[in-house]
Each structure stands twice: as C-alpha cells, then as structure tokens.
Amino acid sequence: AGRKTVLACAMAAAVVSQGDAFMHTSGASKFHVPSLRSKNVVSPQMAMKSPIEVSGKQVASLVAGAVLLGSSMLPLNVEADSSLKFNFPPIDRKDKDRCTFRSSAIGQANAARDKLYDLRECSMSGKDATGFDLAGALMQKGDFSKVKFKDAVMSKVFANEATFDGADFSNAVMDRGTWRKSSFKGAIFANAVLSGSEFEGSDLTDADFSDTYMGDFDNKKICKNPTLQGTNPVTGADTRASASCRK
C-alpha cells in the first residue's frame, strides 16, 4: 500500500506539472510551481504576476484520480497455490524397458532428457542405482524400497506417493524434488543435498538425516513432520536429532 501511494503521488505531481503553472493557496501562504516544459528560467517575481488559481477541490480530485490510476497499473500480490496439480501424459505400459534405471547423457542441472523418463508405478525394490543420473524422473506411486541411490543425482524428481522404505540416499543430490506423501521409513539420507525439496505428508519414521544439506526453511518444515521420530535400524541414528530438530 505504501509503494502504491508513493507512486500515485509521483504521478499526480507529473500530471500537475504539465500545466503552465500551479497555484496552491493555504491560508495566507502561496506556492508557485513553474512548468517543467518551460525552456526559459522564470524568476519567482515574474511567475507570480499571472498565477493560475486552482481550488482545493480540484487538487483533491486530481490527486485522487492519479491514485486510482496508479493503483490499477500496479501488479497485485498473488499467493502461490501450494496444492498445484501436475498433468502428465498417460503411462506407456507397452514399453517393456520403461522400468529401468538409466542415466541422462544430456545434462543433469536442468533434468534435460531427450524423452520423458517415466518410472511411475514401477516395482524396482532392491535394485542398484548407485551413481546414476536420474534427474527429472517421474517416480510417482512406484516401489523403490531398499534401492541403493548412493551418489545418485535426483534433482527435480517428481515422486509423490512412492515407497522408498529402507532406501539408501547417501551422498545423493536430491534438490528441488517433490516427494510428497511418500514413505521413507528407515531410509538413509546421510550427506545428501535436500535443498528446495518437498516432503509434505511423507512418512519419515526411522530415517537418518545425518549431515544432510538443506536450507533453514526446508529444515523447519521437516521438523514439523509428526513422523520424524525413531531410530534408523542400520546406522543407529536418532531420527529427530539427525535432522537437527528439537525434541
């Protein structure tokens, strides 16, 4: 609101300056504003010889109009919808090689691939994806329990409602991923990069977050997860303590 008012006042001043002169009378005081379009310098004495008188009502009307115009030109603040839905193409169930871990040969930073990497609803429990570049993969509702994702690149992965129970993500890069409502019971995230990732509604029971990298905002959200409790069965790490959350 403050910025709009400042801009509106500036616009009002600009509109006023388009006239040859402006006279504001307040009691016994008089102020004269020369035109900004005037090429010649005019002394106050000369300018006061033929002032243009403007009533208080006219000034108020002019400023009010500028405020309304300025307000309509400014962008409105729109809050982001946290319940955004993504529309993906149907699963190609005729592709017999679809449920296979394979690295991208294009570039991991932006999850670039020559075709959609679709692992949705795949049953890949116990597989080994150590060191693979899986960036940008769609893993929604898949079963990846006990999979070795050590040193894997999983940036921008979409894995809502998937199962990762007992999976090992040690040293993995998992930034900007979407992992909502997934199960990570007993999973290991030791030294993994989790910045910008979403775990809203996920089961984090017995998970190990030792030495993970995430921002303060990400950490606060994880600490609010009611399932963040227990002890990892493999490393013996206390789940809440490993995520640097208060008891």
Side-chain angles (χ1 to χ4, degrees), residues 30-67:
K30 294 183 178 180
F31 303 93
H32 182 76
V33 182
S35 170
L36 294 180
R37 295 183 300 175
S38 177
K39 295 181 180 179
N40 299 320
V41 178
V42 181
S43 66
Q45 292 79 7
M46 294 177 61
M48 291 297 289
K49 289 182 179 179
S50 57
I52 298 176
E53 294 186 359
V54 182
S55 67
K57 289 184 178 180
Q58 289 176 310
V59 174
S61 178
L62 179 62
V63 174
V67 169

Side-chain angles (χ1 to χ4, degrees), residues 34-209:
S35 170
L36 294 180
R37 295 183 300 175
S38 177
K39 295 181 180 179
N40 299 320
V41 178
V42 181
S43 66
Q45 292 79 7
M46 294 177 61
M48 291 297 289
K49 289 182 179 179
S50 57
I52 298 176
E53 294 186 359
V54 182
S55 67
K57 289 184 178 180
Q58 289 176 310
V59 174
S61 178
L62 179 62
V63 174
V67 169
L68 290 175
L69 177 61
S71 299
S72 64
M73 295 174 64
L74 292 175
L76 298 177
N77 292 327
V78 180
E79 293 185 1
D81 185 358
S82 59
S83 60
L84 291 177
K85 295 183 179 179
F86 299 89
N87 292 320
F88 298 113
I91 297 175
D92 184 5
R93 302 187 186 280
K94 295 181 180 180
D95 185 357
K96 304 300 181 182
D97 297 324
R98 183 176 66 86
C99 296
T100 304
F101 288 129
R102 52 180 175 271
S103 290
S104 169
I106 298 179
Q108 62 196 34
N110 293 312
R113 292 179 178 272
D114 55 356
K115 61 179 295 186
L116 188 68
Y117 189 23
D118 192 359
L119 298 177
R120 288 175 293 174
E121 300 183 22
C122 286
S123 180
M124 306 180 72
S125 178
K127 301 289 185 179
D128 191 349
T130 300
F132 276 72
D133 174 9
L134 308 175
L138 302 183
M139 306 174 78
Q140 187 176 21
K141 296 183 178 180
D143 182 6
F144 306 97
S145 55
K146 298 183 179 180
V147 171
K148 293 180 181 179
F149 290 110
K150 290 182 177 182
D151 302 304
V153 175
M154 305 180 75
S155 302
K156 298 183 179 180
V157 162
F158 186 85
N160 287 356
E161 302 177 80
T163 303
F164 295 95
D165 295 345
D168 190 348
F169 297 97
S170 297
N171 305 315
V173 178
M174 304 169 65
D175 62 309
R176 298 166 291 172
T178 305
W179 315 83
R180 294 189 178 100
K181 297 182 180 180
S182 292
S183 181
F184 293 92
K185 290 184 289 187
I188 301 174
F189 295 95
N191 203 42
V193 177
L194 304 177
S195 56
S197 287
E198 292 285 343
F199 290 89
E200 183 181 0
S202 293
D203 190 342
L204 306 177
T205 304
D206 297 333
D208 181 2
F209 289 90

Side-chain angles (χ1 to χ4, degrees), residues 14-26:
V15 173
V16 169
S17 68
Q18 293 302 310
D20 291 331
F22 168 67
M23 173 65 72
H24 172 67
T25 304
S26 176

